[in-house]
């Protein structure tokens, strides 16, 4: 991961997003790879955003419902949910 991250300027101008929303969104930007996708664990997002895991789950659901991101559930070889992949981040 690069030391510098790109956070859309619109994030800072978006009055419809609260502090928790912006914190999780910025954390997602931090974990975004060069291919435009990010695959952080819930623990990583909680640590980076300063929220509890439960708080992150609530914010992710809100961001997805508002169209700020697209979430794809990923599964392991046993067809169990393993992680999520987040893409199309837009503030």
């Amino acid at each position: 991961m690069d030391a510098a991250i790109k956070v859309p300027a619109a994030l800072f101008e978006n009055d419809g997003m609260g502090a928790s929303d912006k914190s999780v969104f910025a954390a997602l930007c931090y974990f975004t790879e060069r291919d435009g996708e990010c695959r952080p664990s819930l623990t990583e997002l909680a640590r980076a955003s300063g929220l509890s895991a439960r708080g992150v789950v609530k914010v992710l659901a809100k961001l997805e419902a508002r169209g700020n991101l697209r979430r794809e559930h990923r599964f392991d070889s046993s067809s169990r949910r393993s992680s999520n992949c987040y893409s199309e981040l837009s503030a």
Side-chain angles (χ1 to χ4, degrees):
M1 212 142 330
D2 295 332
I5 62 169
K6 291 187 178 182
V7 176
L11 176 67
F12 303 105
E13 300 164 357
N14 189 332
D15 294 332
M17 293 175 87
S20 295
D21 303 343
K22 291 179 179 184
S23 181
V24 171
F25 192 92
L28 287 167
C29 291
Y30 173 75
F31 289 109
T32 298
E33 300 292 334
R34 293 177 191 256
D35 63 4
E37 295 185 345
C38 63
R39 303 166 195 86
S41 69
L42 193 54
T43 302
E44 289 172 317
L45 283 174
R47 188 177 325 118
S49 67
L51 299 176
S52 66
R54 184 174 170 87
V56 170
V57 169
K58 288 180 179 181
V59 169
L60 288 172
K62 191 181 345 178
L63 293 174
E64 184 177 27
R66 270 198 303 228
N68 298 114
L69 60 87
R70 187 173 68 82
R71 179 174 19 189
E72 175 188 338
H73 301 292
R74 296 175 354 130
F75 301 88
D76 64 17
S77 59
S78 302
S79 298
R80 291 182 300 200
R81 264 176 82 174
S82 64
S83 64
N84 292 320
C85 180
Y86 305 94
S87 60
E88 300 176 19
L89 301 177
S90 64

